[in-house]
């Protein structure tokens, strides 16, 4: 069943956390809310869960209002499952009793099946403190989904485990949700995680959704340079267009470096790939802030007098005391109106 947010705004005192947010998490799909800390993604999740009351706008589940101003059913009255970063298992209950919590008495017999589904078969009598971090998260997922919620809401559910286990947990979580046809909304700050698990991604900045689409949409067709930088392993450089040149903190670059359409705006954000930047010694260039050997290449951090930074890749040794002029290769940069 789809979960729809319509014109949601929310504030904490004088701080506006969400600003007119609207999007739909489609039925049976996994939607990721992606952004840095403080962008509003967890606030959205808490509004859907009933941990916060809606101040403006409404949240719909299928064709019915789930929550709006003056209508705020508590979490236990909503057909949603919740998983948080720390799992939040009941410490005084065994693993089996944790999963059985909230199940009707006639469904308690399915607890062992749930343990098997999340790779915890035979561990039902253990207590949370006897489990690893990854096992606790598997148990939390099983406990949340066992009652059959229409929507699963997950806030940074894999952040507390190591990277290798995180990848496996993401895969298992995706398979479990998709197999059951459960709509999932997952909060994350990790773009790799969003690409791994999501059918659609909402990129958030300062309480707004900047772009909403499939992983392919965001990788191949970013609407801003900042979105492109998140998924493309690239970096953003500010520029001003003057005639047939782009004036940057790292020197003047020719318009020929830009591929695709060129905005008419004077102020631009350029999306630059470090591996496609030519870097030559020049006494009028910028200083080297750091260097790092990567196989046969050297990753160079260049820093302008004003503190702007640009990473470039050199195929030869560099002199850390020298100054360098970086120029992206022709057709290697995408340009966007400055934000």
């Amino acid at each position: 069943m789809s979960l729809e947010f319509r014109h949601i705004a929310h504030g904490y005192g004088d701080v506006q956390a969400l600003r007119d947010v609207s999007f739909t998490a489609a039925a049976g799909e996994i939607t990721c809310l992606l952004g840095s800390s403080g962008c509003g993604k967890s606030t959205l999740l808490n509004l859907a869960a009933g941990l916060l009351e809606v101040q403006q706008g409404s949240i719909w589940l299928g064709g019915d209002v789930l929550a709006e101003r003056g209508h705020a059913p508590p979490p236990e009255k909503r057909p949603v499952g919740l998983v948080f970063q720390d799992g939040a298992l009941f410490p005084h209950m065994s693993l089996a009793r944790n999963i059985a919590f909230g199940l009707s008495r006639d469904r308690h017999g399915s607890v062992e099946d749930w343990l098997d589904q999340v790779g915890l078969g035979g561990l039902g009598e253990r207590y949370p403190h006897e489990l690893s971090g990854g096992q606790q998260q598997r148990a939390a997922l099983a406990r949340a989904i066992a009652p059959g919620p229409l929507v699963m809401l997950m806030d940074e559910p894999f952040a507390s485990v190591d990277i290798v286990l995180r990848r496996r947990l993401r895969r298992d979580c995706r398979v479990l949700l998709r197999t059951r046809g459960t709509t999932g909304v997952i909060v994350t700050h990790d773009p790799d995680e969003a690409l791994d698990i999501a059918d659609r991604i909402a990129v958030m900045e300062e309480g707004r959704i900047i772009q909403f689409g499939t992983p392919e949409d965001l990788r191949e067709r970013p609407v801003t340079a900042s979105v492109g930088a998140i998924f493309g392993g690239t970096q953003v450089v500010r520029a001003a267009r003057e005639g047939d040149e782009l004036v940057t903190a790292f020197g003047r670059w020719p318009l020929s470096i830009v591929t695709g359409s060129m905005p008419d705006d004077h102020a631009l954000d350029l999306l630059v790939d470090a591996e496609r930047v030519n870097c030559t010694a020049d006494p009028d260039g910028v200083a080297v802030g750091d260097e790092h050997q990567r196989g046969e290449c050297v990753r160079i951090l260049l820093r302008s007098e004003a503190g702007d930074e640009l990473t470039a890749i050199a195929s030869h040794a560099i002199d850390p005391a020298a100054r360098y002029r970086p120029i992206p290769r022709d057709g290697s940069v995408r340009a966007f109106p400055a934000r």
Side-chain angles (χ1 to χ4, degrees), residues 4-316:
E4 182 180 0
F5 297 82
R6 298 184 183 178
H7 304 292
I8 297 293
H10 196 87
Y12 301 97
D14 295 333
V15 177
Q16 195 65 26
L18 295 171
R19 307 168 188 269
D20 194 24
V21 173
S22 297
F23 76 98
T24 298
E29 289 190 350
I30 299 172
T31 299
C32 270
L33 306 179
L34 174 67
S36 58
S37 296
C39 71
K41 56 189 187 296
S42 291
T43 297
L44 268 178
L45 202 78
N46 290 335
L47 289 168
L51 301 176
L52 292 173
E53 293 188 10
V54 173
Q55 296 174 350
Q56 183 176 323
S58 58
I59 303 174
W60 293 67
L61 185 60
D64 299 318
V65 176
L66 178 66
E68 59 186 352
R69 185 179 179 88
H71 175 63
E76 64 272 18
K77 298 296 184 182
R78 302 187 185 200
V80 301
L82 298 173
V83 178
F84 299 98
Q85 182 174 334
D86 61 0
L89 297 171
F90 300 122
H92 62 288
M93 291 185 181
S94 68
L95 180 53
R97 288 181 62 200
N98 261 281
I99 295 176
F101 184 84
L103 294 178
S104 59
R105 188 172 298 274
D106 62 342
R107 294 183 62 195
H108 278 203
S110 65
V111 168
E112 193 59 42
D113 291 336
W114 278 109
L115 290 171
D116 289 338
Q117 286 190 53
V118 296
L120 297 176
L123 302 181
E125 296 309 309
R126 292 192 183 182
Y127 284 80
H129 71 274
E130 299 175 309
L131 304 174
S132 68
Q135 289 173 328
Q136 290 183 33
Q137 285 304 90
R138 289 177 183 274
L141 177 61
R143 185 184 66 180
I145 202 170
L150 299 178
V151 177
M152 278 291 296
L153 305 173
M154 309 176 73
D155 195 349
E156 303 276 7
F158 315 119
S160 61
V161 297
D162 66 79
I163 185 62
V164 175
L165 180 57
R166 197 180 310 163
R167 293 192 184 106
R168 182 175 177 183
L169 284 175
R170 291 197 297 244
R171 180 200 65 195
D172 292 348
C173 177
R174 177 174 170 82
V175 169
L176 186 59
L177 293 178
R178 292 304 301 267
T179 299
R180 295 182 60 82
T182 304
T183 302
V185 180
I186 300 178
V187 162
T188 182
H189 66 273
D190 183 349
D192 289 334
E193 182 163 284
L195 291 173
D196 269 359
I197 199 170
D199 297 296
R200 299 184 192 278
I201 302 170
V203 180
M204 298 188 66
E205 292 180 9
E206 298 179 350
R208 292 186 172 91
I209 292 180
I210 303 303
Q211 187 168 357
F212 181 74
T214 66
E216 182 182 8
D217 288 335
L218 275 62
R219 281 198 309 261
E220 303 299 327
R221 294 172 289 277
V223 298
T224 68
S226 61
V227 172
I230 290 172
F231 296 100
T234 50
Q235 54 205 312
V236 180
V237 173
R238 278 294 175 93
R241 182 175 180 174
E242 291 185 4
D244 59 355
E245 290 186 316
L246 298 167
V247 181
T248 76
F250 309 97
R252 290 177 175 268
W253 295 347
L255 290 182
S256 58
I257 67 169
V258 176
T259 185
S261 60
M262 169 67 78
D264 294 330
D265 306 63
H266 171 71
L268 299 170
D269 285 338
L270 305 180
L271 201 56
V272 180
D273 185 344
E275 297 187 358
R276 304 188 69 184
V277 176
N278 294 323
C279 199
T280 58
D282 186 332
D284 296 323
V286 295
V288 176
D290 186 39
E291 57 173 321
H292 177 62
Q293 189 75 37
R294 291 188 59 192
E296 298 179 355
C297 298
V298 180
R299 179 177 288 270
I300 312 169
L301 177 65
L302 299 171
R303 185 174 292 124
S304 74
E305 299 293 339
D308 299 272
E309 294 182 339
L310 174 69
T311 299
I313 303 295
S315 58
H316 51 79

